[in-house]
Amino acid sequence: MDPHSDTVNQTLNRAGRAMRTLRDRPARARVLEALASRLEAVRPELIALASEETALTAAELEPEFARAVGTLRMFAGLARSSPVLAELHSPPEALPIGPNHDLRRVLVPIGPVAVFGASNFPLAYGVLGGDTASALAAGCAVVVKEHPAHPRLGRRLAALAREACAPIAPDAVQYLDSLQAHPDPRDHTLARALLAHPALAGVGFTGSVAGGVALAELARARPMPIPVYAEQGSLNPVVLLPGALEEATLDAAGALASSILLRHGQQCTKPGLIVLVELDALGGRGEAFERALTAKLNAGPARRPLAPWIASAYLARLRDCAPHAEPLVGATQPTDGTTRPALLRARGAVHSTLLHETFGPSTVLVHARADELPALLDLLPGSLTGTVWASARERGGELFALVMERRMARAGRVIVNGVPTGVRVAPAMTHTGPWPASNHPEASAVGSAAVMRWLRPVTVQGTLP
Ligand code: NAP
């Protein structure tokens, strides 16, 4: 007998009851608005709690808080009035293709959804983050699995959700408290019990590749498999064409260093590999770029990562990468639980070990000749983002077209002359990418399109008299 089966049963029964109220779109909108207002009312408390548990600074958490509240409100607006959720009607017509049936296509919620948030965005991907907001907008009740990196924040958010939802759909957001269920936070019996429950209809996951793979396997092994939308780790390569450095050597170094250091490198969009093309043709500008990047990362502070196991994983990754690259920064790491930024340098053909995300403030600088670039681009894995820096003149050229084409094929968002960190929540945003960034590159986790993951189309035929 599974120790969690009673808890999971009760939780999913309650979620099932909430689904009935959430059939009503105005009720979904009221739930989402009530959640946004409840969070806003206690903003300083939540920022302080998140900062205490994750070691992210208040300045780093403020924009995330605004994003989480803005996302709840965006989905409230979508639930209330968006054409995205509207019925599609094909009435009988003069020259039909096939039988002249009256057809009405409606979108129905798939059923209760489990949400597994990530350690690094306790608000935007937490209990009341984007997966929860989009699932509620679709009419799905949500069961959130606690994250061991911020349990006190998770429980507080769950309490606020109960208060906010009570008058509208009391059981819309359910919370499974893993720490009280068992003392070892890395014990996955609760996740297994949740995914095995027949009433669960889908999963939103944000986290490591290993976690996404494990949950997708559990979902596939069910008698009735369910979808798992897993947004996972990402390398986010950046390619600097020579002309970009003619125009903006130090701007590029400064912008990329800030992007790597923000939130101590613990961002799914952190640039993890920077390709410097044709260093020798740059007349010293390439060296200037490298010196500036090295100096800025060297000056980056030692900080406490989100959780002790994240510090250990970062140090282990640096040890794995060390035989395949020269260390420029961070070869020696502290032993007091904090970690320092790291910069590694490789040339030409890059060892496969370097082509995975290192979750923390590190990046790999690769020097490549223009004729080595096509092969290198082919080696790069799928990513949330691909970035290219180029001068105005280069943007009309073949090299730029090649990089754009290869990055479009392997990334969900392609950025020109910018940095990949900083994600706008808007209808045109794509936040996903080919494997390993996600197992569903066709479905964005950010922006209004995220709601479609939790809906299923049904066509009703023949209702006309
Ligand atoms: P994580 O360790 O995979 O944890 C995420 C959640 O999944 C936790 O609740 C975790 O619970 C659970 N989990 C992990 N492995 C599991 C397994 N084998 N079976 C069942 N449950 C499992 O990831 P994280 O450290 O929180 O997040 C960091 C990662 O997320 C980075 O790779 C980052 O790039 C990525 N991320 C991606 C995005 C995106 O949008 N693509 C956004 C933010 C972060 P336990 O801890 O109890 O195992």
PDB file of all heavy atoms in Angstrom, residues 116-121 125 145-148 185-186 188 191 205-208 211 214-215 231-234 268 310 357 359 384 431 437, ligand 1:
ATOM      1  N   PHE A 116       4.723  20.736 -11.170  1.00  0.00           N
ATOM      2  CA  PHE A 116       6.024  20.610 -10.493  1.00  0.00           C
ATOM      3  C   PHE A 116       6.823  21.859 -10.867  1.00  0.00           C
ATOM      4  O   PHE A 116       7.230  22.001 -12.022  1.00  0.00           O
ATOM      5  CB  PHE A 116       6.791  19.371 -10.986  1.00  0.00           C
ATOM      6  CG  PHE A 116       6.204  18.067 -10.533  1.00  0.00           C
ATOM      7  CD1 PHE A 116       5.024  17.593 -11.084  1.00  0.00           C
ATOM      8  CD2 PHE A 116       6.840  17.301  -9.570  1.00  0.00           C
ATOM      9  CE1 PHE A 116       4.479  16.384 -10.678  1.00  0.00           C
ATOM     10  CE2 PHE A 116       6.310  16.085  -9.148  1.00  0.00           C
ATOM     11  CZ  PHE A 116       5.121  15.633  -9.701  1.00  0.00           C
ATOM     12  N   GLY A 117       7.026  22.768  -9.906  1.00  0.00           N
ATOM     13  CA  GLY A 117       7.756  24.003 -10.206  1.00  0.00           C
ATOM     14  C   GLY A 117       9.252  23.812 -10.069  1.00  0.00           C
ATOM     15  O   GLY A 117       9.724  22.745  -9.681  1.00  0.00           O
ATOM     16  N   ALA A 118       9.996  24.877 -10.414  1.00  0.00           N
ATOM     17  CA  ALA A 118      11.469  24.802 -10.364  1.00  0.00           C
ATOM     18  C   ALA A 118      12.001  25.550  -9.146  1.00  0.00           C
ATOM     19  O   ALA A 118      11.350  26.436  -8.605  1.00  0.00           O
ATOM     20  CB  ALA A 118      12.043  25.406 -11.632  1.00  0.00           C
ATOM     21  N   SER A 119      13.229  25.203  -8.756  1.00  0.00           N
ATOM     22  CA  SER A 119      13.864  25.850  -7.611  1.00  0.00           C
ATOM     23  C   SER A 119      14.158  27.320  -7.880  1.00  0.00           C
ATOM     24  O   SER A 119      14.105  28.147  -6.973  1.00  0.00           O
ATOM     25  CB  SER A 119      15.179  25.131  -7.304  1.00  0.00           C
ATOM     26  OG  SER A 119      16.003  25.096  -8.469  1.00  0.00           O
ATOM     27  N   ASN A 120      14.463  27.671  -9.145  1.00  0.00           N
ATOM     28  CA  ASN A 120      15.073  28.980  -9.407  1.00  0.00           C
ATOM     29  C   ASN A 120      14.088  30.114  -9.623  1.00  0.00           C
ATOM     30  O   ASN A 120      14.472  31.271  -9.576  1.00  0.00           O
ATOM     31  CB  ASN A 120      16.022  28.896 -10.615  1.00  0.00           C
ATOM     32  CG  ASN A 120      15.340  28.422 -11.870  1.00  0.00           C
ATOM     33  OD1 ASN A 120      14.309  27.761 -11.824  1.00  0.00           O
ATOM     34  ND2 ASN A 120      15.907  28.756 -13.013  1.00  0.00           N
ATOM     35  N   PHE A 121      12.814  29.796  -9.871  1.00  0.00           N
ATOM     36  CA  PHE A 121      11.800  30.849  -9.992  1.00  0.00           C
ATOM     37  C   PHE A 121      10.658  30.502  -9.034  1.00  0.00           C
ATOM     38  O   PHE A 121       9.631  29.992  -9.454  1.00  0.00           O
ATOM     39  CB  PHE A 121      11.311  30.988 -11.441  1.00  0.00           C
ATOM     40  CG  PHE A 121      12.265  31.751 -12.311  1.00  0.00           C
ATOM     41  CD1 PHE A 121      13.248  31.101 -13.036  1.00  0.00           C
ATOM     42  CD2 PHE A 121      12.206  33.143 -12.378  1.00  0.00           C
ATOM     43  CE1 PHE A 121      14.143  31.807 -13.817  1.00  0.00           C
ATOM     44  CE2 PHE A 121      13.097  33.859 -13.159  1.00  0.00           C
ATOM     45  CZ  PHE A 121      14.072  33.191 -13.878  1.00  0.00           C
ATOM     46  N   TYR A 125       7.462  30.273 -11.444  1.00  0.00           N
ATOM     47  CA  TYR A 125       7.239  28.852 -11.739  1.00  0.00           C
ATOM     48  C   TYR A 125       6.865  28.085 -10.475  1.00  0.00           C
ATOM     49  O   TYR A 125       7.082  26.883 -10.388  1.00  0.00           O
ATOM     50  CB  TYR A 125       8.490  28.211 -12.358  1.00  0.00           C
ATOM     51  CG  TYR A 125       8.792  28.673 -13.763  1.00  0.00           C
ATOM     52  CD1 TYR A 125       9.713  29.664 -14.001  1.00  0.00           C
ATOM     53  CD2 TYR A 125       8.128  28.104 -14.847  1.00  0.00           C
ATOM     54  CE1 TYR A 125       9.979  30.103 -15.286  1.00  0.00           C
ATOM     55  CE2 TYR A 125       8.382  28.539 -16.129  1.00  0.00           C
ATOM     56  CZ  TYR A 125       9.305  29.530 -16.339  1.00  0.00           C
ATOM     57  OH  TYR A 125       9.561  29.960 -17.618  1.00  0.00           O
ATOM     58  N   LYS A 145       2.917  20.076  -6.478  1.00  0.00           N
ATOM     59  CA  LYS A 145       3.839  19.293  -5.637  1.00  0.00           C
ATOM     60  C   LYS A 145       4.879  20.256  -5.061  1.00  0.00           C
ATOM     61  O   LYS A 145       5.495  21.015  -5.803  1.00  0.00           O
ATOM     62  CB  LYS A 145       4.479  18.205  -6.509  1.00  0.00           C
ATOM     63  CG  LYS A 145       5.186  17.117  -5.746  1.00  0.00           C
ATOM     64  CD  LYS A 145       6.474  17.588  -5.169  1.00  0.00           C
ATOM     65  CE  LYS A 145       7.696  16.809  -5.449  1.00  0.00           C
ATOM     66  NZ  LYS A 145       8.903  17.549  -5.088  1.00  0.00           N
ATOM     67  N   GLU A 146       5.047  20.208  -3.764  1.00  0.00           N
ATOM     68  CA  GLU A 146       5.980  21.119  -3.093  1.00  0.00           C
ATOM     69  C   GLU A 146       7.398  21.006  -3.655  1.00  0.00           C
ATOM     70  O   GLU A 146       7.850  19.904  -3.987  1.00  0.00           O
ATOM     71  CB  GLU A 146       6.003  20.757  -1.610  1.00  0.00           C
ATOM     72  CG  GLU A 146       6.934  21.605  -0.790  1.00  0.00           C
ATOM     73  CD  GLU A 146       6.665  21.384   0.693  1.00  0.00           C
ATOM     74  OE1 GLU A 146       5.723  21.984   1.214  1.00  0.00           O
ATOM     75  OE2 GLU A 146       7.394  20.607   1.322  1.00  0.00           O
ATOM     76  N   HIS A 147       8.101  22.147  -3.737  1.00  0.00           N
ATOM     77  CA  HIS A 147       9.521  22.096  -4.124  1.00  0.00           C
ATOM     78  C   HIS A 147      10.393  22.175  -2.867  1.00  0.00           C
ATOM     79  O   HIS A 147      10.220  23.083  -2.056  1.00  0.00           O
ATOM     80  CB  HIS A 147       9.874  23.247  -5.068  1.00  0.00           C
ATOM     81  CG  HIS A 147      11.154  22.955  -5.782  1.00  0.00           C
ATOM     82  ND1 HIS A 147      12.358  22.857  -5.111  1.00  0.00           N
ATOM     83  CD2 HIS A 147      11.418  22.678  -7.069  1.00  0.00           C
ATOM     84  CE1 HIS A 147      13.314  22.548  -5.974  1.00  0.00           C
ATOM     85  NE2 HIS A 147      12.765  22.425  -7.180  1.00  0.00           N
ATOM     86  N   PRO A 148      11.332  21.232  -2.705  1.00  0.00           N
ATOM     87  CA  PRO A 148      12.122  21.206  -1.464  1.00  0.00           C
ATOM     88  C   PRO A 148      13.050  22.407  -1.282  1.00  0.00           C
ATOM     89  O   PRO A 148      13.557  22.618  -0.181  1.00  0.00           O
ATOM     90  CB  PRO A 148      12.935  19.911  -1.583  1.00  0.00           C
ATOM     91  CG  PRO A 148      12.918  19.559  -3.031  1.00  0.00           C
ATOM     92  CD  PRO A 148      11.644  20.107  -3.594  1.00  0.00           C
ATOM     93  N   PRO A 185      13.664  15.086   1.259  1.00  0.00           N
ATOM     94  CA  PRO A 185      13.048  15.858   0.185  1.00  0.00           C
ATOM     95  C   PRO A 185      13.306  15.285  -1.206  1.00  0.00           C
ATOM     96  O   PRO A 185      12.619  15.640  -2.149  1.00  0.00           O
ATOM     97  CB  PRO A 185      13.663  17.248   0.334  1.00  0.00           C
ATOM     98  CG  PRO A 185      14.903  17.061   1.134  1.00  0.00           C
ATOM     99  CD  PRO A 185      14.683  15.841   1.980  1.00  0.00           C
ATOM    100  N   ARG A 186      14.318  14.437  -1.370  1.00  0.00           N
ATOM    101  CA  ARG A 186      14.578  13.872  -2.695  1.00  0.00           C
ATOM    102  C   ARG A 186      13.871  12.534  -2.890  1.00  0.00           C
ATOM    103  O   ARG A 186      14.096  11.846  -3.870  1.00  0.00           O
ATOM    104  CB  ARG A 186      16.088  13.712  -2.963  1.00  0.00           C
ATOM    105  CG  ARG A 186      16.947  14.946  -2.729  1.00  0.00           C
ATOM    106  CD  ARG A 186      16.398  16.226  -3.335  1.00  0.00           C
ATOM    107  NE  ARG A 186      16.199  16.207  -4.762  1.00  0.00           N
ATOM    108  CZ  ARG A 186      16.897  16.899  -5.642  1.00  0.00           C
ATOM    109  NH1 ARG A 186      17.860  17.691  -5.245  1.00  0.00           N
ATOM    110  NH2 ARG A 186      16.630  16.840  -6.927  1.00  0.00           N
ATOM    111  N   HIS A 188      10.957  10.375  -4.057  1.00  0.00           N
ATOM    112  CA  HIS A 188       9.991  10.658  -5.117  1.00  0.00           C
ATOM    113  C   HIS A 188       8.715   9.829  -5.020  1.00  0.00           C
ATOM    114  O   HIS A 188       7.974   9.739  -5.988  1.00  0.00           O
ATOM    115  CB  HIS A 188      10.655  10.444  -6.489  1.00  0.00           C
ATOM    116  CG  HIS A 188      11.765  11.417  -6.723  1.00  0.00           C
ATOM    117  ND1 HIS A 188      13.006  11.056  -7.181  1.00  0.00           N
ATOM    118  CD2 HIS A 188      11.825  12.753  -6.538  1.00  0.00           C
ATOM    119  CE1 HIS A 188      13.778  12.112  -7.253  1.00  0.00           C
ATOM    120  NE2 HIS A 188      13.094  13.162  -6.878  1.00  0.00           N
ATOM    121  N   ALA A 191       5.598  11.926  -5.786  1.00  0.00           N
ATOM    122  CA  ALA A 191       5.433  12.193  -7.228  1.00  0.00           C
ATOM    123  C   ALA A 191       4.915  10.944  -7.933  1.00  0.00           C
ATOM    124  O   ALA A 191       4.031  11.028  -8.801  1.00  0.00           O
ATOM    125  CB  ALA A 191       6.774  12.629  -7.825  1.00  0.00           C
ATOM    126  N   PHE A 205       5.698  20.552 -15.842  1.00  0.00           N
ATOM    127  CA  PHE A 205       6.953  20.385 -15.091  1.00  0.00           C
ATOM    128  C   PHE A 205       7.943  21.450 -15.542  1.00  0.00           C
ATOM    129  O   PHE A 205       8.109  21.677 -16.750  1.00  0.00           O
ATOM    130  CB  PHE A 205       7.533  18.987 -15.355  1.00  0.00           C
ATOM    131  CG  PHE A 205       8.954  18.820 -14.870  1.00  0.00           C
ATOM    132  CD1 PHE A 205       9.220  18.427 -13.566  1.00  0.00           C
ATOM    133  CD2 PHE A 205      10.033  19.079 -15.715  1.00  0.00           C
ATOM    134  CE1 PHE A 205      10.531  18.285 -13.121  1.00  0.00           C
ATOM    135  CE2 PHE A 205      11.343  18.936 -15.276  1.00  0.00           C
ATOM    136  CZ  PHE A 205      11.598  18.541 -13.973  1.00  0.00           C
ATOM    137  N   THR A 206       8.654  22.068 -14.605  1.00  0.00           N
ATOM    138  CA  THR A 206       9.786  22.937 -14.930  1.00  0.00           C
ATOM    139  C   THR A 206      10.936  22.500 -14.041  1.00  0.00           C
ATOM    140  O   THR A 206      10.789  22.489 -12.814  1.00  0.00           O
ATOM    141  CB  THR A 206       9.463  24.416 -14.636  1.00  0.00           C
ATOM    142  OG1 THR A 206       8.189  24.716 -15.171  1.00  0.00           O
ATOM    143  CG2 THR A 206      10.497  25.325 -15.262  1.00  0.00           C
ATOM    144  N   GLY A 207      12.047  22.124 -14.653  1.00  0.00           N
ATOM    145  CA  GLY A 207      13.165  21.662 -13.835  1.00  0.00           C
ATOM    146  C   GLY A 207      14.234  21.009 -14.685  1.00  0.00           C
ATOM    147  O   GLY A 207      14.406  21.337 -15.867  1.00  0.00           O
ATOM    148  N   SER A 208      14.919  20.062 -14.084  1.00  0.00           N
ATOM    149  CA  SER A 208      16.064  19.441 -14.755  1.00  0.00           C
ATOM    150  C   SER A 208      15.604  18.463 -15.837  1.00  0.00           C
ATOM    151  O   SER A 208      14.469  17.977 -15.809  1.00  0.00           O
ATOM    152  CB  SER A 208      16.885  18.684 -13.717  1.00  0.00           C
ATOM    153  OG  SER A 208      16.071  17.686 -13.122  1.00  0.00           O
ATOM    154  N   GLY A 211      14.649  15.160 -14.157  1.00  0.00           N
ATOM    155  CA  GLY A 211      13.315  15.195 -13.547  1.00  0.00           C
ATOM    156  C   GLY A 211      12.225  15.086 -14.605  1.00  0.00           C
ATOM    157  O   GLY A 211      11.260  14.337 -14.438  1.00  0.00           O
ATOM    158  N   ALA A 214      12.036  11.539 -15.888  1.00  0.00           N
ATOM    159  CA  ALA A 214      11.453  10.614 -14.898  1.00  0.00           C
ATOM    160  C   ALA A 214       9.931  10.745 -14.885  1.00  0.00           C
ATOM    161  O   ALA A 214       9.209   9.737 -14.883  1.00  0.00           O
ATOM    162  CB  ALA A 214      12.032  10.912 -13.514  1.00  0.00           C
ATOM    163  N   LEU A 215       9.431  11.977 -14.893  1.00  0.00           N
ATOM    164  CA  LEU A 215       7.970  12.157 -14.834  1.00  0.00           C
ATOM    165  C   LEU A 215       7.312  11.699 -16.133  1.00  0.00           C
ATOM    166  O   LEU A 215       6.240  11.090 -16.112  1.00  0.00           O
ATOM    167  CB  LEU A 215       7.632  13.621 -14.545  1.00  0.00           C
ATOM    168  CG  LEU A 215       8.043  14.125 -13.154  1.00  0.00           C
ATOM    169  CD1 LEU A 215       7.566  15.556 -12.940  1.00  0.00           C
ATOM    170  CD2 LEU A 215       7.493  13.250 -12.039  1.00  0.00           C
ATOM    171  N   GLU A 231       9.485  21.535 -19.243  1.00  0.00           N
ATOM    172  CA  GLU A 231      10.419  22.593 -19.642  1.00  0.00           C
ATOM    173  C   GLU A 231      11.689  22.372 -18.849  1.00  0.00           C
ATOM    174  O   GLU A 231      11.676  22.440 -17.618  1.00  0.00           O
ATOM    175  CB  GLU A 231       9.814  23.977 -19.364  1.00  0.00           C
ATOM    176  CG  GLU A 231       8.591  24.281 -20.202  1.00  0.00           C
ATOM    177  CD  GLU A 231       8.851  24.233 -21.699  1.00  0.00           C
ATOM    178  OE1 GLU A 231       9.961  24.577 -22.130  1.00  0.00           O
ATOM    179  OE2 GLU A 231       7.949  23.815 -22.443  1.00  0.00           O
ATOM    180  N   GLN A 232      12.780  22.106 -19.540  1.00  0.00           N
ATOM    181  CA  GLN A 232      13.970  21.567 -18.874  1.00  0.00           C
ATOM    182  C   GLN A 232      15.179  22.499 -19.022  1.00  0.00           C
ATOM    183  O   GLN A 232      15.051  23.634 -19.445  1.00  0.00           O
ATOM    184  CB  GLN A 232      14.236  20.183 -19.464  1.00  0.00           C
ATOM    185  CG  GLN A 232      13.010  19.271 -19.371  1.00  0.00           C
ATOM    186  CD  GLN A 232      13.105  17.954 -20.109  1.00  0.00           C
ATOM    187  OE1 GLN A 232      12.450  17.011 -19.750  1.00  0.00           O
ATOM    188  NE2 GLN A 232      13.918  17.893 -21.147  1.00  0.00           N
ATOM    189  N   GLY A 233      16.343  21.974 -18.695  1.00  0.00           N
ATOM    190  CA  GLY A 233      17.567  22.762 -18.764  1.00  0.00           C
ATOM    191  C   GLY A 233      17.963  23.075 -20.205  1.00  0.00           C
ATOM    192  O   GLY A 233      17.628  22.337 -21.122  1.00  0.00           O
ATOM    193  N   SER A 234      18.702  24.165 -20.383  1.00  0.00           N
ATOM    194  CA  SER A 234      18.983  24.651 -21.734  1.00  0.00           C
ATOM    195  C   SER A 234      20.371  25.283 -21.791  1.00  0.00           C
ATOM    196  O   SER A 234      20.792  25.949 -20.853  1.00  0.00           O
ATOM    197  CB  SER A 234      17.897  25.681 -22.080  1.00  0.00           C
ATOM    198  OG  SER A 234      18.130  26.268 -23.315  1.00  0.00           O
ATOM    199  N   CYS A 268      17.123  29.495 -16.512  1.00  0.00           N
ATOM    200  CA  CYS A 268      17.038  28.546 -17.627  1.00  0.00           C
ATOM    201  C   CYS A 268      17.504  29.175 -18.926  1.00  0.00           C
ATOM    202  O   CYS A 268      17.835  28.468 -19.874  1.00  0.00           O
ATOM    203  CB  CYS A 268      15.610  28.045 -17.767  1.00  0.00           C
ATOM    204  SG  CYS A 268      14.405  29.377 -17.825  1.00  0.00           S
ATOM    205  N   ILE A 310      22.204  22.065  -5.172  1.00  0.00           N
ATOM    206  CA  ILE A 310      22.489  22.782  -6.425  1.00  0.00           C
ATOM    207  C   ILE A 310      23.954  23.230  -6.433  1.00  0.00           C
ATOM    208  O   ILE A 310      24.623  23.193  -7.468  1.00  0.00           O
ATOM    209  CB  ILE A 310      21.475  23.920  -6.621  1.00  0.00           C
ATOM    210  CG1 ILE A 310      20.152  23.250  -6.995  1.00  0.00           C
ATOM    211  CG2 ILE A 310      21.924  24.918  -7.696  1.00  0.00           C
ATOM    212  CD1 ILE A 310      18.964  24.117  -7.145  1.00  0.00           C
ATOM    213  N   GLU A 357      23.790  22.109 -20.195  1.00  0.00           N
ATOM    214  CA  GLU A 357      23.643  23.185 -19.228  1.00  0.00           C
ATOM    215  C   GLU A 357      24.486  22.936 -17.981  1.00  0.00           C
ATOM    216  O   GLU A 357      24.532  21.815 -17.464  1.00  0.00           O
ATOM    217  CB  GLU A 357      22.165  23.280 -18.799  1.00  0.00           C
ATOM    218  CG  GLU A 357      21.920  24.323 -17.721  1.00  0.00           C
ATOM    219  CD  GLU A 357      20.530  24.212 -17.087  1.00  0.00           C
ATOM    220  OE1 GLU A 357      20.128  23.104 -16.682  1.00  0.00           O
ATOM    221  OE2 GLU A 357      19.855  25.239 -17.005  1.00  0.00           O
ATOM    222  N   PHE A 359      24.155  24.492 -14.407  1.00  0.00           N
ATOM    223  CA  PHE A 359      23.182  25.350 -13.734  1.00  0.00           C
ATOM    224  C   PHE A 359      23.899  26.171 -12.664  1.00  0.00           C
ATOM    225  O   PHE A 359      24.163  25.691 -11.571  1.00  0.00           O
ATOM    226  CB  PHE A 359      22.079  24.473 -13.128  1.00  0.00           C
ATOM    227  CG  PHE A 359      20.919  25.244 -12.590  1.00  0.00           C
ATOM    228  CD1 PHE A 359      20.230  26.152 -13.386  1.00  0.00           C
ATOM    229  CD2 PHE A 359      20.484  25.069 -11.283  1.00  0.00           C
ATOM    230  CE1 PHE A 359      19.147  26.859 -12.899  1.00  0.00           C
ATOM    231  CE2 PHE A 359      19.394  25.774 -10.777  1.00  0.00           C
ATOM    232  CZ  PHE A 359      18.735  26.665 -11.595  1.00  0.00           C
ATOM    233  N   LEU A 384      16.238  26.638 -25.320  1.00  0.00           N
ATOM    234  CA  LEU A 384      15.157  27.623 -25.240  1.00  0.00           C
ATOM    235  C   LEU A 384      15.453  28.786 -26.175  1.00  0.00           C
ATOM    236  O   LEU A 384      14.557  29.325 -26.805  1.00  0.00           O
ATOM    237  CB  LEU A 384      15.066  28.182 -23.818  1.00  0.00           C
ATOM    238  CG  LEU A 384      14.522  27.281 -22.731  1.00  0.00           C
ATOM    239  CD1 LEU A 384      14.688  27.954 -21.380  1.00  0.00           C
ATOM    240  CD2 LEU A 384      13.056  26.995 -22.993  1.00  0.00           C
ATOM    241  N   HIS A 431       8.355  30.098 -25.249  1.00  0.00           N
ATOM    242  CA  HIS A 431       9.291  29.674 -24.208  1.00  0.00           C
ATOM    243  C   HIS A 431       9.231  28.156 -24.117  1.00  0.00           C
ATOM    244  O   HIS A 431       8.472  27.563 -23.351  1.00  0.00           O
ATOM    245  CB  HIS A 431       8.938  30.315 -22.864  1.00  0.00           C
ATOM    246  CG  HIS A 431      10.017  30.127 -21.835  1.00  0.00           C
ATOM    247  ND1 HIS A 431      11.218  30.801 -21.880  1.00  0.00           N
ATOM    248  CD2 HIS A 431      10.091  29.329 -20.748  1.00  0.00           C
ATOM    249  CE1 HIS A 431      11.976  30.429 -20.866  1.00  0.00           C
ATOM    250  NE2 HIS A 431      11.316  29.525 -20.167  1.00  0.00           N
ATOM    251  N   ALA A 437      15.741  21.005 -24.281  1.00  0.00           N
ATOM    252  CA  ALA A 437      15.123  22.142 -23.592  1.00  0.00           C
ATOM    253  C   ALA A 437      13.696  21.810 -23.177  1.00  0.00           C
ATOM    254  O   ALA A 437      13.220  22.267 -22.138  1.00  0.00           O
ATOM    255  CB  ALA A 437      15.141  23.372 -24.498  1.00  0.00           C
TER     256      ALA A 437
HETATM  257  P1  NAP B   1      14.570  19.529 -10.425  1.00  0.00           P
HETATM  258  O1  NAP B   1      15.562  19.081  -9.437  1.00  0.00           O
HETATM  259  O2  NAP B   1      14.323  18.677 -11.616  1.00  0.00           O
HETATM  260  O3  NAP B   1      13.210  19.735  -9.602  1.00  0.00           O
HETATM  261  C1  NAP B   1      11.966  20.152 -10.163  1.00  0.00           C
HETATM  262  C2  NAP B   1      10.823  19.413  -9.484  1.00  0.00           C
HETATM  263  O4  NAP B   1      10.753  18.073 -10.003  1.00  0.00           O
HETATM  264  C3  NAP B   1      10.972  19.257  -7.984  1.00  0.00           C
HETATM  265  O5  NAP B   1       9.688  19.284  -7.398  1.00  0.00           O
HETATM  266  C4  NAP B   1      11.584  17.887  -7.847  1.00  0.00           C
HETATM  267  O6  NAP B   1      11.358  17.300  -6.608  1.00  0.00           O
HETATM  268  C5  NAP B   1      10.887  17.117  -8.946  1.00  0.00           C
HETATM  269  N1  NAP B   1      11.692  16.001  -9.422  1.00  0.00           N
HETATM  270  C6  NAP B   1      12.972  16.047  -9.863  1.00  0.00           C
HETATM  271  N2  NAP B   1      13.396  14.821 -10.221  1.00  0.00           N
HETATM  272  C7  NAP B   1      12.360  13.989 -10.005  1.00  0.00           C
HETATM  273  C8  NAP B   1      12.178  12.591 -10.179  1.00  0.00           C
HETATM  274  N3  NAP B   1      13.155  11.798 -10.633  1.00  0.00           N
HETATM  275  N4  NAP B   1      10.982  12.050  -9.863  1.00  0.00           N
HETATM  276  C9  NAP B   1       9.985  12.837  -9.402  1.00  0.00           C
HETATM  277  N5  NAP B   1      10.099  14.172  -9.192  1.00  0.00           N
HETATM  278  C10 NAP B   1      11.271  14.741  -9.504  1.00  0.00           C
HETATM  279  O7  NAP B   1      14.948  20.980 -10.999  1.00  0.00           O
HETATM  280  P2  NAP B   1      15.285  22.320 -10.182  1.00  0.00           P
HETATM  281  O8  NAP B   1      16.609  22.220  -9.559  1.00  0.00           O
HETATM  282  O9  NAP B   1      14.144  22.694  -9.331  1.00  0.00           O
HETATM  283  O10 NAP B   1      15.349  23.409 -11.330  1.00  0.00           O
HETATM  284  C11 NAP B   1      16.543  23.743 -12.011  1.00  0.00           C
HETATM  285  C12 NAP B   1      16.450  23.314 -13.453  1.00  0.00           C
HETATM  286  O11 NAP B   1      15.237  23.810 -14.022  1.00  0.00           O
HETATM  287  C13 NAP B   1      17.561  23.876 -14.335  1.00  0.00           C
HETATM  288  O12 NAP B   1      17.984  22.887 -15.215  1.00  0.00           O
HETATM  289  C14 NAP B   1      16.868  25.015 -15.074  1.00  0.00           C
HETATM  290  O13 NAP B   1      17.455  25.340 -16.299  1.00  0.00           O
HETATM  291  C15 NAP B   1      15.511  24.416 -15.271  1.00  0.00           C
HETATM  292  N6  NAP B   1      14.502  25.438 -15.517  1.00  0.00           N
HETATM  293  C16 NAP B   1      13.909  25.435 -16.739  1.00  0.00           C
HETATM  294  C17 NAP B   1      12.983  26.411 -17.040  1.00  0.00           C
HETATM  295  C18 NAP B   1      12.320  26.437 -18.381  1.00  0.00           C
HETATM  296  O14 NAP B   1      11.381  27.194 -18.552  1.00  0.00           O
HETATM  297  N7  NAP B   1      12.764  25.658 -19.336  1.00  0.00           N
HETATM  298  C19 NAP B   1      12.649  27.387 -16.072  1.00  0.00           C
HETATM  299  C20 NAP B   1      13.275  27.332 -14.828  1.00  0.00           C
HETATM  300  C21 NAP B   1      14.203  26.344 -14.572  1.00  0.00           C
HETATM  301  P3  NAP B   1      12.621  16.781  -5.739  1.00  0.00           P
HETATM  302  O15 NAP B   1      13.532  17.951  -5.604  1.00  0.00           O
HETATM  303  O16 NAP B   1      11.987  16.314  -4.501  1.00  0.00           O
HETATM  304  O17 NAP B   1      13.279  15.696  -6.543  1.00  0.00           O
END
